[in-house]
Amino acid sequence: MDFEAILSTFPGKETAKLIAKEIAREPKHMPRLWEFATGEHERAWRATWLMDKVYDEAPELIRPYIPQMIKLIPSLKCESKQRQLLKLISCEPLPKNVSGEFINCCFDYLISSSTAVAVKVHAMQILFNFAQQEPDLKNELALVIEECMIEGTTGFNARGRKLLKKLQA
C-alpha cells in the first residue's frame, strides 16, 4: 500500500473507511502506516487520522501501538496528531506502567487555555480512565475538571459533567 500517494491528498471519510477496511484485511500494512504516522513530514497527521479509521474497523490492530503513542505524546508539537493519538489512547485501558510524564502531559493539556477543545476532552477522558486505576487521583481530577468547566465550551462541559458524575459516584 502506497501511503505516500494515499495521503498526498486528504482522503475523504468514505475513502478513508475503504482504506481502513483494506488494512483490516491486510494487517501487514499497519507497521508502515505507523511509521508514516510518526514521521516528521507535513502529512503525518493524516496517517494518525487514518489509524483512527482502522481502529473503527479492527481495534486489535491499533492496540499494540498504544504504549508507543503514550511515549510519543509528551514530545508531540502537532495538535492534529495529539488529538488523534489521544483519542485512540482514550478508547483503551491504560497500561499499568503508564508514565508520570504522560499523565502530567494530559493534565497540562487539560488546564492550558491554548489547548484545542478536542485535545482537552481526550486528555480529560484519559485522566478519568487513569483515576479508575488510581482512586487517590479522583478528587484532584474532579477539582481540575470543575475549574476548567468555568470557561469550557458546551461540548467540554457536557463531557466534564458526565465524568464528574462518575467520579463522585
Side-chain angles (χ1 to χ4, degrees), residues 5-26:
I6 291 169
L7 299 172
S8 64
T9 60
F10 191 67
K13 192 173 185 177
E14 293 308 313
T15 302
K17 285 181 181 180
L18 291 173
I19 296 166
K21 286 179 190 223
E22 178 62 26
I23 293 170
R25 278 193 300 273
E26 295 287 336

Side-chain angles (χ1 to χ4, degrees), residues 72-139:
L72 187 61
I73 289 293
S75 65
L76 273 182
K77 301 295 179 228
C78 176
E79 196 171 82
S80 298
K81 286 171 77 171
Q82 290 169 351
R83 180 183 63 248
Q84 290 304 142
L85 296 181
L86 287 171
K87 180 181 178 190
L88 291 167
I89 295 166
S90 74
C91 293
E92 291 291 320
L94 290 171
K96 296 289 184 215
N97 62 346
V98 68
S99 74
E101 181 183 23
F102 173 71
I103 296 302
N104 287 339
C105 186
C106 287
F107 268 112
D108 290 345
Y109 290 149
L110 181 57
I111 63 175
S112 173
S113 61
S114 63
T115 301
V117 174
V119 172
K120 286 179 177 251
V121 168
H122 297 312
M124 180 170 47
Q125 183 65 53
I126 289 167
L127 292 167
F128 172 82
N129 296 349
F130 184 68
Q132 301 310 297
Q133 293 174 275
E134 298 291 333
D136 292 346
L137 189 64
K138 286 182 177 183
N139 288 336

Side-chain angles (χ1 to χ4, degrees), residues 47 62 65 93 98 126 139 141 143 148 165-166:
I62 300 300
Y65 295 95
V98 68
I126 289 167
N139 288 336
L141 179 57
L143 290 171
C148 291
K165 196 179 278 189
K166 290 179 179 181

